[in-house]
Amino acid sequence: MAKNLNSISFTVLLLALVMASTGILKSEAQTCGVGGCPNLVDRVFWGECGPAPFTGTNADCCTCCVAKFGSPPVCWAVVEGSDTHCHCYKKK
């Protein structure tokens, strides 16, 4: 039994490493505006943009955010949430 658990643990760890190294876990969020702010610690929520639910892509969300709030302050935009809203972020 312990041998099977070790094999399973090793397989899960190997799968996680492969996913991380190939970029499968990377965010598809859009760095936008002047300078951008790709690091989570560098940005704060600024506001929502466009219709809800937002049916466009992250690039469309970026365009909407820059048109509404300007660049700067907008540095990150992403379509997120269970109700798919376009969320705009600014630098801290």
Side-chain angles (χ1 to χ4, degrees), residues 31-36 62 66 71-72 74-76:
T31 297
C32 65
V34 177
C62 177
V66 169
S71 174
V74 172
C75 64
W76 185 263

Side-chain angles (χ1 to χ4, degrees), residues 33-49:
V34 177
C37 52
N39 297 322
L40 181 61
V41 296
D42 296 337
R43 62 181 181 257
V44 293
F45 180 74
W46 182 247
E48 292 183 355
C49 192

Side-chain angles (χ1 to χ4, degrees), residues 26-33 37-38 40 43-51 53-66 69 74-90:
K26 288 184 180 176
S27 170
E28 294 179 13
Q30 180 70 41
T31 297
C32 65
C37 52
L40 181 61
R43 62 181 181 257
V44 293
F45 180 74
W46 182 247
E48 292 183 355
C49 192
F54 191 83
T55 56
T57 64
N58 288 332
D60 298 331
C61 179
C62 177
T63 302
C64 181
C65 290
V66 169
F69 299 112
V74 172
C75 64
W76 185 263
V78 64
V79 179
E80 61 188 353
S82 59
D83 49 359
T84 58
H85 287 183
C86 171
H87 290 165
C88 311
Y89 293 84
K90 67 176 184 170

